[in-house]
Amino acid sequence: MATGDIAQITEALAKTHVGGVELSYKGRGLKLDNAESVKEMVQEIEQCQGLQSLRLEGNTLGVEAAQAISKALEAKSELEQCHWSDMFTGRLRSEIPAALKSLGNALMTSGARLTQLDLSDNAFGPDGVKGIESLLKSPVCYTLRELRLNNCGMGIGGGMVLASALTECYKQSSAAGSPLKLKVFIAGRNRLENNGATALAKAFKLLGSLEEVHMPQNGINHLGITALAAAMKHNPNLQVLNLNDNTFTKRGSIAMAETISHLQCLKVINFGDCLVRSEGAIAIAGALRGGLPFLRELNLSFGEICEAASLVVAKAVQGKADLEKLDLNGNCFGEDGCEALREAMESMNMEELLGSLSDDEGEPDDEEDDEEEDDDDDEEEEEEEEGEAEENGFNGVNGTKDIIEEKEEPHCNSELASFLISPSAEKLMSLGAKRIQLVEQVDVSDASKVSEVFLKISSVYEDEPEVKQAVFESTDALLRKVFSNSHSQSYSLISSLIVNLGLLKSEDKKIKKVSVLPGHLLTLEHAAAQEFFPVDQARILEAFLSRNGKVLESCSSARDALKTTLVKRTTA
């Protein structure tokens, strides 16, 4: 066979396969600069009847070539899927918006109704988003179900333009009688940061139809995470939430935990490399205990989570019949902690579901230099939170403002507030029988405030029967109210107590360490023995007390009594 014939056959085999209603030029590495370079492609597009899917990814498209292709697309009203990722390699950023506008205008002219639009890996920046802005607002995207914009370098500005376009699309499509029902949103590696994420969160809240959200590696910290959490709550059919490699810290983790407790369709949670930390992990565990029956994967890797908190998470996934993987790699367990986690999973017949722990960071070091390093890491976040903390009137365990719900009578507020400012047994006794009513007015939505009230009441504990009874009745009323609410609130309270008692290092440097008194532990021991005290919370306390109880050596007798009661509750 002649060399020329072989070349022709090879070329024919390399040509795009036309499969029914799809034309694919995927991965051919074509450098398409002008109309001549896409002449054959344009002919195939024009000749393809009922074209529904066009794959151009893996080539490089210039403005003139895009204009030629666009001309052919103006007659393709049945087009539904545009797979156009990685198609501007080597192009000037200034070329990309023009090419995108040309393609978008063609779709609008054709009257097509897209269901999928993939422009990932194009690095077109904020200007590129402006290039598709009109398209996203148009009737072409009223039917959009999947929008993929991964690794496009949109930045904050591009994220805000995108959010505005999606919002407008929803409003216009709703006015037309068929609201936008976007199901899949992918926008990882886009440097969206807080402002971009917050803008998109507003659009997500409006949509309410999302089933998959992937936004890893976007430089989002707790402010943006909290905004996204609030938005996700309005998307009840969410199944996949991937926010890998952003920065949750405690506040973002707690906000997200509260949200996922409402998302009963969730199957995949990826919060790996998000600095969830131990307090956040406990909060997320609380959400897991409250539901998520279809959970398949949970990723909390590389989050600076301690051993005791990992055991809380492990217990929280017990009974998840669909669970396929629990990833806790890269945390701070140490060899003994890793073994304890494996044993816990084995005891639940779930050892095969635990991912590798090969990258464990070892037990955290309590040396002063490590604390200073943490201070440096969190300095920026603390500055952001400082103003908000002052506005809320609460700073650590010494604040009292806003502890009581504002809706209650002022004289009730002032009476309890007077006690909390300067606690004493005499003041508690002077409140008489109404102290139960006053305590029940405490706003239990803020776990740190509830922990504060508990510790201040229990600090006046005495062996004298009447005082002891007053303390127990007051704290029982407080805890009963908390534990009658959601799992998330219960877990958040226990987390706050563990921090205040020194059993867990808090990331919040503004929280002042409590000087633990025997009364704190004896009051907690009494509460743990009551039926209203959940066994789950007893397990958490017991886990931390067993591993870090040495910090309570000054109250060793009360500590040991508490531990004995917790063991009885958890093994009964």
Side-chain angles (χ1 to χ4, degrees):
M1 183 178 292
T3 302
D5 293 333
I6 294 176
Q8 289 179 355
I9 293 174
T10 302
E11 182 180 357
L13 291 173
K15 281 188 177 182
T16 303
H17 170 68
V18 180
V21 294
E22 178 179 278
L23 275 173
S24 177
Y25 301 86
K26 182 179 179 179
R28 294 180 59 180
L30 301 173
K31 191 171 187 300
L32 308 171
D33 296 324
N34 48 44
E36 183 62 28
S37 64
V38 293
K39 183 177 180 180
E40 184 177 343
M41 183 185 296
V42 167
Q43 290 177 347
E44 291 178 338
I45 292 172
E46 290 175 340
Q47 293 170 5
C48 183
Q49 299 299 313
L51 178 64
Q52 293 179 307
S53 176
L54 179 60
R55 311 192 75 102
L56 297 176
E57 61 264 56
N59 300 291
T60 177
L61 196 63
V63 176
E64 187 179 335
Q67 291 172 341
I69 293 172
S70 298
K71 191 67 176 177
L73 290 178
E74 289 179 356
K76 300 302 171 182
S77 61
E78 296 179 50
L79 189 63
E80 297 178 356
Q81 301 178 20
C82 295
H83 302 279
W84 295 348
S85 63
D86 188 23
M87 65 176 192
F88 295 113
T89 301
R91 299 294 171 181
L92 296 175
R93 180 168 289 189
S94 59
E95 293 182 80
I96 300 175
L100 289 173
K101 284 182 180 179
S102 180
L103 292 167
N105 288 338
L107 295 176
M108 289 186 278
T109 299
S110 73
R113 294 293 184 268
L114 295 184
T115 59
Q116 296 183 34
L117 177 59
D118 186 357
L119 289 166
S120 299
D121 301 316
N122 279 312
F124 47 53
D127 290 340
V129 184
K130 294 177 182 178
I132 59 172
E133 184 178 8
S134 296
L135 173 65
L136 290 174
K137 292 179 179 179
S138 75
V140 175
C141 290
Y142 288 2
T143 51
L144 199 62
R145 296 295 179 264
E146 297 185 16
L147 179 59
R148 301 170 184 265
L149 296 168
N150 201 57
N151 190 31
C152 289
M154 289 189 287
I156 296 172
M160 297 179 77
V161 171
L162 175 61
S164 177
L166 289 175
T167 299
E168 185 65 21
C169 183
Y170 178 82
K171 291 179 178 179
Q172 294 293 340
S173 60
S174 297
S178 182
L180 171 65
K181 295 181 180 179
L182 189 67
K183 294 184 177 181
V184 178
F185 179 84
I186 301 176
R189 301 182 65 187
N190 272 292
R191 305 192 311 275
L192 295 170
E193 301 182 16
N194 287 335
N195 289 341
T198 300
L200 285 167
K202 293 178 181 178
F204 295 162
K205 181 178 179 179
L206 196 62
L207 290 174
S209 57
L210 292 169
E211 296 180 6
E212 290 188 31
V213 173
H214 301 261
M215 297 176 66
Q217 290 184 284
N218 270 297
I220 309 168
N221 69 21
H222 77 87
L223 296 173
I225 295 298
T226 299
L228 288 171
M232 293 304 110
K233 194 182 295 186
H234 294 268
N235 290 266
N237 295 320
L238 192 68
Q239 298 179 28
V240 178
L241 182 56
N242 176 10
L243 295 173
N244 189 285
D245 199 8
N246 289 291
T247 306
F248 282 36
T249 60
K250 173 186 173 181
R251 300 185 70 174
S253 299
I254 290 175
M256 194 58 72
E258 201 281 328
T259 286
I260 64 177
S261 66
H262 296 278
L263 301 175
Q264 295 302 301
C265 295
L266 267 179
K267 296 179 180 179
V268 177
I269 298 174
N270 187 344
F271 296 160
D273 203 13
C274 284
L275 210 62
V276 166
R277 291 180 171 155
S278 298
E279 292 174 88
I282 293 171
I284 291 169
L288 298 179
R289 290 297 285 181
L292 281 69
F294 308 112
L295 187 66
R296 289 203 314 255
E297 296 182 22
L298 174 63
N299 184 347
L300 296 178
S301 61
F302 299 94
E304 294 189 5
I305 299 170
C306 72
E307 172 202 347
S310 77
L311 297 178
V312 176
V313 173
K315 286 292 184 181
V317 299
Q318 186 175 16
K320 305 295 182 189
D322 293 340
L323 191 70
E324 297 174 0
K325 185 175 182 180
L326 173 62
D327 189 349
L328 291 170
N329 197 18
N331 284 296
C332 308
F333 307 154
E335 290 185 14
D336 292 342
C338 288
E339 185 59 31
L341 178 58
R342 292 188 188 99
E343 289 176 358
M345 294 294 287
E346 184 176 0
S347 70
M348 299 183 294
N349 296 318
M350 302 176 75
E351 64 272 20
E352 294 181 359
L353 307 183
L354 181 64
S356 170
L357 299 176
S358 60
D359 294 318
D360 185 73
E361 297 286 343
E363 294 183 65
D365 192 348
D366 293 330
E367 294 297 323
E368 185 176 348
D369 58 342
D370 287 329
E371 293 182 2
E372 291 176 356
E373 182 179 340
D374 285 344
D375 286 338
D376 292 338
D377 291 342
D378 294 339
E379 183 177 352
E380 181 179 347
E381 182 176 343
E382 288 182 12
E383 289 175 355
E384 290 174 347
E385 295 173 358
E386 187 174 333
E388 185 176 343
E390 291 176 356
E391 289 176 8
N392 292 337
F394 183 75
N395 185 13
V397 296
N398 291 330
T400 57
K401 185 179 178 183
D402 290 342
I403 291 173
I404 312 299
E405 294 178 356
E406 294 180 359
K407 66 183 180 180
E408 304 300 339
E409 296 179 5
H411 74 272
C412 293
N413 294 355
S414 61
E415 286 182 286
L416 183 57
S418 176
F419 166 80
L420 294 173
I421 290 171
S422 181
S424 69
E426 291 75 18
K427 286 185 178 180
L428 183 65
M429 297 299 294
S430 70
L431 294 175
K434 64 182 177 182
R435 62 176 168 264
I436 305 301
Q437 177 187 356
L438 295 176
V439 169
E440 287 176 343
Q441 292 172 9
V442 171
D443 179 5
V444 297
S445 64
D446 188 326
S448 62
K449 294 178 182 179
V450 177
S451 179
E452 176 194 0
V453 175
F454 176 87
L455 292 171
K456 291 201 170 187
I457 295 174
S458 59
S459 71
V460 306
Y461 172 95
E462 294 178 3
D463 284 332
E464 200 280 317
E466 289 187 1
V467 175
K468 183 190 296 187
Q469 182 179 356
V471 169
F472 287 171
E473 288 178 349
S474 301
T475 53
D476 283 358
L478 178 66
L479 296 182
R480 188 179 287 110
K481 182 178 180 181
V482 176
F483 293 143
S484 66
N485 286 300
S486 68
H487 280 79
S488 295
Q489 285 187 0
S490 299
Y491 275 68
S492 294
L493 171 60
I494 293 301
S495 179
S496 291
L497 283 172
I498 289 169
V499 167
N500 290 146
L501 294 174
L503 296 172
L504 175 63
K505 179 181 175 183
S506 176
E507 69 178 60
D508 188 348
K509 304 303 183 294
K510 296 188 294 295
I511 293 181
K512 297 178 181 179
K513 188 175 180 180
V514 174
S515 296
V516 179
L517 303 172
H520 292 138
L521 304 182
L522 291 174
T523 304
L524 192 53
E525 185 268 335
H526 161 80
Q530 309 307 308
E531 287 188 7
F532 67 76
F533 200 98
V535 175
D536 284 352
Q537 316 312 323
R539 286 197 182 101
I540 297 173
L541 276 174
E542 195 277 327
F544 278 90
L545 196 59
S546 296
R547 287 154 180 80
N548 304 320
K550 61 184 178 181
V551 301
L552 302 176
E553 192 63 36
S554 62
C555 306
S556 58
S557 179
R559 176 200 64 192
D560 294 343
L562 172 59
K563 185 174 180 180
T564 298
T565 296
L566 292 171
V567 170
K568 286 180 180 178
R569 284 300 311 276
T570 57
T571 58

